[in-house]
Amino acid sequence: MGRFSDLFRNPFSFLFTRSQGEERVAAYLIREHNRGRPVNEILEDRYVQNRCTPEQKARLLDRPEVIHALGAETTESARAGLS
């Protein structure tokens, strides 16, 4: 019953939760980039394409851990490539 009472404390908390799928794609993006692959190429992988909508890919590049791992300039250029 704890989750039900949490809903009354913050009724919009569901807006800020992240799915496990997004967590896995973020980890994949960071891992592949650490292997030396460009971000735009990784975002075109079938793994990412099958699991993310264009909006989710854009949101993926806004995640603090992704920005930290890839660098702000890299994420900005990748975000520009999505448009």
Side-chain angles (χ1 to χ4, degrees):
M1 199 73 158
R3 291 200 64 141
F4 187 70
S5 64
D6 290 342
L7 180 64
F8 288 112
R9 273 188 254 149
N10 189 359
F12 300 106
S13 63
F14 70 92
L15 294 174
F16 305 106
T17 60
R18 295 181 175 154
S19 71
Q20 282 186 332
E22 284 186 41
E23 296 288 334
R24 289 181 180 136
V25 173
Y28 176 79
L29 178 64
I30 293 168
R31 182 175 58 249
E32 291 297 312
H33 186 264
N34 286 339
R35 291 179 179 170
R37 295 182 59 202
V39 175
N40 289 331
E41 180 182 305
I42 300 166
L43 292 174
E44 296 301 317
D45 282 357
R46 287 318 236 169
Y47 181 81
V48 178
Q49 294 289 326
N50 290 335
R51 288 164 178 77
C52 292
T53 64
E55 295 81 22
Q56 289 172 321
K57 285 195 284 188
R59 196 169 56 226
L60 187 68
L61 295 172
D62 290 333
R63 294 172 66 124
E65 67 271 20
V66 172
I67 293 171
H68 178 73
L70 306 181
E73 290 179 13
T74 304
T75 54
E76 283 298 321
S77 65
R79 195 174 295 119
L82 288 177
S83 301

